[in-house]
Amino acid sequence: MKIIFLGLFILMCNTFVSAHADYKAVAVDDSVVAQFYHAENLEIDSAANPELYYKVYDWLGTRYKYAGRTKKGIDCSDFACMIYREVYCDTIGGNAPRLFTISTPIKKEELQEGDLIFFKIKNNRISHVGVYLGNDKFAHASLHAGVIISDLNETYYKKRFFSGGRINP
């Protein structure tokens, strides 16, 4: 009985690994990534750092988890910090208010790809952060939808936008 169970377990693991490997192959396919961003009205070809777009794409759909730091779940500040670590080789850390204090505040009109964007959502204090992608789009870990791309012109975000922030090298 134990041998049958062990055999089934190994078979299930191999099936999972194969399915996961196929998913990863699709996730890094340049044409799929390019099509996705084109649909979002963002052009990777004109990006200052295409790696930013590939990393964001790889995290899309990851569920929100407070204080999470993995593909099993991540929160907004850890998502921003992870992007900076993986794309810019810059180790930043802390929650959204702390990230604001270590960045140089910038106006919405001055935002550049890779800048942080801060929102006052709870109690009129900075409580959310995202990473600016260009064309008023930003990536963030949303409480209800996980890692997604949103538009600064959406009523919800437009009303709550506080400031941009640039991490200086």
Side-chain angles (χ1 to χ4, degrees):
M1 187 65 146
K2 289 180 185 179
I3 294 173
I4 293 171
F5 177 75
L6 181 60
L8 286 173
F9 179 75
I10 291 170
L11 180 63
M12 288 171 32
C13 289
N14 286 338
T15 302
F16 173 77
V17 170
S18 297
H20 186 65
D22 290 343
Y23 166 77
K24 291 309 253 177
V26 172
V28 295
D29 182 326
D30 288 351
S31 65
V32 172
V33 177
Q35 288 173 5
F36 172 80
Y37 282 110
H38 183 71
E40 290 287 334
N41 203 17
L42 290 164
E43 297 297 330
I44 285 183
D45 294 344
S46 62
N49 189 342
E51 184 67 15
L52 171 63
Y53 294 88
Y54 287 103
K55 289 297 181 185
V56 167
Y57 183 83
D58 191 43
W59 281 82
L60 285 175
T62 301
R63 75 180 182 91
Y64 179 90
K65 181 180 179 190
Y66 179 74
R69 294 188 171 109
T70 70
K71 292 278 179 98
K72 291 182 180 179
I74 195 161
D75 67 16
C76 66
S77 56
D78 284 313
F79 174 71
C81 293
M82 179 280 311
I83 289 291
Y84 266 76
R85 184 175 54 253
E86 291 186 1
V87 175
Y88 301 108
C89 298
D90 193 350
T91 304
I92 59 174
N95 59 18
R98 162 95 169 78
L99 292 174
F100 181 72
T101 65
I102 65 170
S103 65
T104 302
I106 53 174
K107 297 177 183 173
K108 183 180 175 185
E109 303 78 39
E110 300 170 326
L111 286 170
Q112 296 176 5
E113 180 186 290
D115 285 337
L116 298 177
I117 50 175
F118 298 94
F119 301 88
K120 287 187 173 183
I121 295 176
K122 296 179 186 172
N123 303 324
N124 200 29
R125 62 180 179 82
I126 295 171
S127 57
H128 190 61
V129 61
V131 179
Y132 189 70
L133 298 174
N135 202 26
D136 290 331
K137 306 283 188 186
F138 66 101
H140 61 119
S142 157
L143 183 64
H144 300 291
V147 177
I148 58 172
I149 294 176
S150 298
D151 194 305
L152 284 171
N153 296 312
E154 292 174 32
T155 305
Y156 181 86
Y157 295 111
K158 192 173 198 173
K159 180 179 177 182
R160 291 165 176 83
F161 177 81
F162 175 69
S163 178
R166 186 160 297 145
I167 302 295
N168 297 316

